[in-house]
Amino acid sequence: MLTTERHEFIISILKNQGTVKLQELVDQLHASESTIRRDLVQLEEMKLLKRVHGGASLLQRKGLEPTTVEKQNKATAEKRLIANRASSFIEKNDCIYLDAGTTTAEMIPFLKEKNVTVMTNGLMHIPKLIELQIKTVLVGGTIKFSTNAVIGSNAGQFLNEYRFDKCFLGMNGIHQEMGFTTPDPEEAQLKKLAISLSNETYVLCDSSKLNEATFAKVADVSDAIIITDGNDEEAVAQLQKNPKVKVVTIK
């Protein structure tokens, strides 16, 4: 099979499945592993896919954002471990900003004994925070229904009246050159503001977010400590080529 035919086949599978394993391509294309790896490198350089641990996935569409329902059942074990590691950076009596998101939500059970004050724009966080009786301030603003986040100019004005020891953010894309990104410019502005108001910033992400870039830039990757599962060792290594970038992996 010609190289162009293999490339077309790989892209076709990705469009149908979203992800594909290296061994699956080897079996279906009857090609060597080294040949398929070379194909994936070429397609990644053409910005047609992203190589991940053990295979490849489609790049995210820049303005497309999954809903909370779509995200909450993905990489659940990794998110819990990432959240546990992130919570280890919190000291007793800290005032923290907890961003909306399914990974940051996993931090809440680890906050009970730390006597923290939480400010959040995540409506999905509120029931658990109430259940655990954690002192909480809810950001006021406009509700974004797809992600259950509070956003908008009013949210920014509200947030600007406070200062934080630490802030914990979710992110849709993390790229060594394009920085931290998210599909929604209004959410990007709120995340950027939270970073500026915090002594320390942590970005929580599973490895599927690495080497991705979405529509709106939040900050440079050197502006926060990245906590990830480390499954994509190559992507982590690329980030760490920049001496200013700090990456904490749970492995």
Side-chain angles (χ1 to χ4, degrees), residues 220-243:
D220 293 327
V221 288
S222 58
D223 290 336
I225 296 168
I226 300 166
I227 305 179
T228 185
D229 54 60
N231 287 337
D232 192 336
E233 295 179 0
E234 185 174 342
V236 169
Q238 288 178 346
L239 286 168
Q240 291 175 325
K241 286 180 180 178
N242 183 342

Side-chain angles (χ1 to χ4, degrees), residues 62-86:
K62 303 300 183 192
L64 183 63
E65 181 167 19
T67 65
T68 298
V69 172
E70 291 170 328
K71 290 188 288 187
Q72 64 186 3
N73 293 321
K74 293 182 178 180
T76 52
E78 288 85 352
K79 289 176 181 178
R80 195 167 295 117
L81 290 169
I82 291 166
N84 188 12
R85 186 70 177 91

